Amino acid sequence: MKKNFLTKLGLKSNVRVLNNDAVAEFDDLHIIEAIVFASREPIHIEYLLTKISKTDKAYLRELMDKLRAHYDNRGVNFEYNDNYCIFQTSPMIKAALVDEFEETRDLSKAAKETLAIIAYHQPTTRSEIEEIRGVSSSKGSLDVLLGYNWIEISGKKDVPGRPLVYKTTKKFLLDFNLSDINDLPKLSELRREGLLSGYEDSS
Amino acid sequence: MKKNFLTKLGLKSNVRVLNNDAVAEFDDLHIIEAIVFASREPIHIEYLLTKISKTDKAYLRELMDKLRAHYDNRGVNFEYNDNYCIFQTSPMIKAALVDEFEETRDLSKAAKETLAIIAYHQPTTRSEIEEIRGVSSSKGSLDVLLGYNWIEISGKKDVPGRPLVYKTTKKFLLDFNLSDINDLPKLSELRREGLLSGYEDSS
Amino acid sequence: MSSVLEVKNHLIIDIEGFEGPIDLLLSLARSQKVDLKEISVFELAQQYINYINSQAALKIDIAADYLVMAAWLAYLKSKLLLPDEPIDEEEEYTAEELAGQLRHRIQRLDAMKTASLLLFEKPIVNRDMFLRGIPEEFDEVTKLIYNASIFDLIKSYINRQDDRVPESISIFKLDYLALDNAKNLLSNIFQKISGWANFFRLVSENKYTENDRSIAASAFSVLLDMVNEQKAHTKQEKQFGEILIKKIGND
């Protein structure tokens, strides 16, 4: 019965009218699974809404929850945030895969801090980064982060000398599993404490 | 290299440790699943044998059968022959999903070089681009960049032969987050930032 | 690498990985075991100075940044003992305000260090988990999105940037008479003559280029074609004698 229905998918809209909700759901679940599984890039939820039988976010969310549960204990997991879905290998079996697939080497402490400063203060300049870290050199860290495509140059600051400004990229959000930049850990707390601005601004 | 990953997983694994064979099989199944998922090419069965707990083809075959059965009615299928394993979108779903699908790609090296040269030297001609790149053909790259609307033909140069001249477009500025072409960092500025020092030597 | 940097790297290695004076201050502040907001800057300044002194006693090179901070802290410390009045003539900060600023900088670095730990402790793509290796395309894949950042472009540019870009290009004028031009030359000549005429003299009167030999060769080649096509008569009275030409018919 399931297969019978699937063979008619070419006539999607006509067929769906005739079939019951359960079949449509079975269908939709596998459409989402296929689309997301097929891609190396995260798939936007809005895109998925155009592919299933109802343009209904709550319904889609239900299906995504089902998929996540189905893959919960597997070698491959289905993950999503407010915007994107993706399949990725389970972090729990990382050790079996790192030799073959690992692309992100462990970064220096300096590079990690530089990334955090850019993420929380963006857009920001090299001298602002160095001011916060209290050191006068950050070029190596910036190079590494640019190379990973986690940050990008987004123009110049409108102050004397027109220094370059840096901000994080979409790839940064995706690689760190953040829905958007407001998803950064403790962001609102740090804002409230005035730690993301100068002393003057906060007092 | 036979690893028992679940033993590292805390409570869950403590429960499973009671039955070692079952734990190993649970691990092995998911390692196969993850490796086949993440691999950039169809995975050879001999390689999988080096990653699981037993170098035993019959055992591996059993696991592969289980995986195939698990994915039988899904949007994605696990397939194998005598040598290779692969995940593939279910043919029925694939047939149903015949329309636009976005894919992100990296620009070819040639296209990136060509775009960079046009950005920094505009307006410029094809032969000037080829002179800088040291190659005699850049038509393909120009076509890609024109197709992407990042460059446009802005007239003809007033020299013998009246060659076409190219310049970057508004869309280029938009896509690369530049408010103005003068926001394109100058080489001297990048050097001052201490960036790119490694690249000079590598050219 | 400059000597200052070498000194600093040396220092960073030698004193337990502190990356600059603020980092060192943060470490010392943590040892006070109170909330960083409540930290005693007076006490911290003394700790810092003691630490730097102890390092100097060990004859470790101290980078300028650390010494500048030590001097400033000594100054601040002494001012903190005085009544609350502006000590900085230009900006008119009180000692307590300067201490507040320092406290803020220490807290801010602490916050960023914590944030970086939080960011990197969670699973990260391509480090802890991996994505589909063989992406599949569905039929009618039409939309490709190209990934390229300004940094990619600059890298490409740097790799190609060299001195081969010419200042200007000069193209030499060709020093021979093309056959098409020779045909025009001969048709001009034939319009002017009636009866027999000296071919080479006519040609040399209608110079196109400086190279007479090239004109002669091209013109003669065209002339032979015309004879062949029965558009012209030629005759030569003797060996190496003048070549005479005459039009056939009226055209």
Side-chain angles (χ1 to χ4, degrees), chain A residues 63-96:
Chain A
L63 295 179
M64 294 195 305
D65 283 340
K66 280 187 185 169
L67 275 173
R68 181 149 72 182
H70 178 80
Y71 282 94
D72 184 33
N73 252 322
R74 309 288 306 179
V76 172
N77 301 148
F78 179 83
E79 298 294 343
Y80 65 86
N81 61 28
D82 289 344
N83 298 309
Y84 293 98
C85 305
I86 195 160
F87 272 106
Q88 57 202 17
T89 63
S90 162
M92 293 199 286
I93 52 167
K94 169 186 175 179

Side-chain angles (χ1 to χ4, degrees), chain C residues 7 22 27 34 55 66 81 116 130 147 187-188 213 219 246:
Chain C
V7 169
I22 301 293
S27 232
V34 291
Q55 298 296 306
Y66 287 82
L81 295 171
S116 88
F130 308 95
N147 253 341
S187 84
N188 283 340
R213 287 156 61 99
K246 194 173 86 152

Side-chain angles (χ1 to χ4, degrees), chain C residues 222-234:
Chain C
V222 172
L223 178 66
L224 292 179
D225 278 341
M226 293 176 71
V227 171
N228 203 29
E229 292 161 20
Q230 310 219 320
K231 291 178 181 165
H233 283 308
T234 60

